[in-house]
Amino acid sequence: MSGGSAKPKRRRAAGAALRYEHRPGRPQADEPSKRDWGCAWGCLVLPGFVVLLMPVVLFDMHWGHALWGDFAPAWPGGAYVFAGTVGASVPLVFLAWVAPLVRMDWKKSKARSLAWAIASLPGLAAGYLVTGVISATVRPKRRRDWDGDCHREGGPCWVHVHYPWLWAVGLAACLAVIALLIGLFVGHVRRSSATAPSTAAPAGGPTPRSPSGTGDRRPPV
């Protein structure tokens, strides 16, 4: 017999079995990092806004005084009728611009969508024209900025002195045309729903037991 007892062998520790699962929305290590276009879009907002605003500013600078000083008073009915015509054209111009755009579907047909985008350009150009006509009557907010050019014939201050209710006539004409367009749209929807084919099942034909198709019931006398 051996004198010393053998010590039990120590068991080897199990290997680490930690596994990191990928969480949705968290980029994986092997995936290429996507470019961040946020800064690029932010840098394009201000120049794009200036480009869109420049035609209106140029219209006010070069044609605003001649428009309201000479052209509007010579319009049939005077400047108030001209203001009503401009106000009535606002929703029509907006509709001519937006209506082609809502029919665009790039997934369905790129060529047709491009054609609809081109069809909206005349409405956009007319919108710039109407906006320029309206902006030529806007006075500066601060009275101290009402300089001699503002009070010159055809200027914004001159227009407000000679035609104080110009904005009310234009607004009333705009709201009247909007109400008319809404009424036409509602009437069109009602006519379309009234002429739509019915989805109810047709009545069953007569059976041998019931040649008249009324079953055991007799028609009322």
Side-chain angles (χ1 to χ4, degrees):
M1 294 181 64
S2 57
S5 60
K7 295 182 179 180
K9 294 183 179 180
R10 183 177 299 175
R11 299 179 62 184
R12 183 178 296 177
L18 296 178
R19 298 179 62 185
Y20 296 94
E21 296 182 358
H22 175 68
R23 293 183 179 180
R26 185 177 181 181
Q28 295 182 356
D30 55 347
E31 290 184 355
S33 58
K34 297 181 179 179
R35 296 181 179 180
D36 187 11
W37 295 98
C39 180
W41 285 112
C43 296
L44 289 176
V45 169
L46 184 59
F49 180 75
V50 173
V51 170
L52 293 175
L53 196 62
M54 281 305 296
V56 179
V57 175
L58 293 176
F59 186 92
D60 187 12
M61 292 174 57
H62 295 282
W63 298 290
H65 289 74
L67 176 68
W68 289 102
D70 301 328
F71 186 78
W75 187 266
Y80 280 113
V81 178
F82 178 75
T85 305
V86 174
S89 64
V90 170
L92 299 177
V93 167
F94 181 78
L95 185 63
W97 173 49
V98 174
L101 296 179
V102 298
R103 304 190 67 175
M104 295 171 55
D105 191 350
W106 292 101
K107 295 181 179 180
K108 200 171 185 179
S109 175
K110 293 183 179 180
R112 185 173 297 179
S113 299
L114 182 60
W116 283 119
I118 295 174
S120 68
L121 294 181
L124 180 62
Y128 270 111
L129 180 62
V130 173
T131 305
V133 172
I134 296 174
S135 64
T137 63
V138 179
R139 292 180 297 185
K141 292 183 178 180
R142 298 178 181 179
R143 188 178 291 269
R144 62 185 180 185
D145 295 332
W146 296 359
D147 51 6
D149 188 66
C150 182
H151 288 88
R152 188 163 58 90
E153 183 179 359
C157 299
W158 181 90
V159 171
H160 281 268
V161 170
H162 288 77
Y163 308 105
W165 300 104
L166 202 70
W167 62 272
V169 174
L171 181 61
C174 179
L175 295 178
V177 174
I178 291 176
L180 178 62
L181 292 176
I182 293 176
L184 293 176
F185 178 75
V186 172
H188 174 71
V189 171
R190 289 180 178 177
R191 286 193 300 269
S192 300
S193 60
T195 57
S198 177
T199 57
T207 61
R209 295 183 55 188
S210 174
S212 61
T214 57
D216 297 334
R217 296 170 297 173
R218 294 180 177 274
V221 181

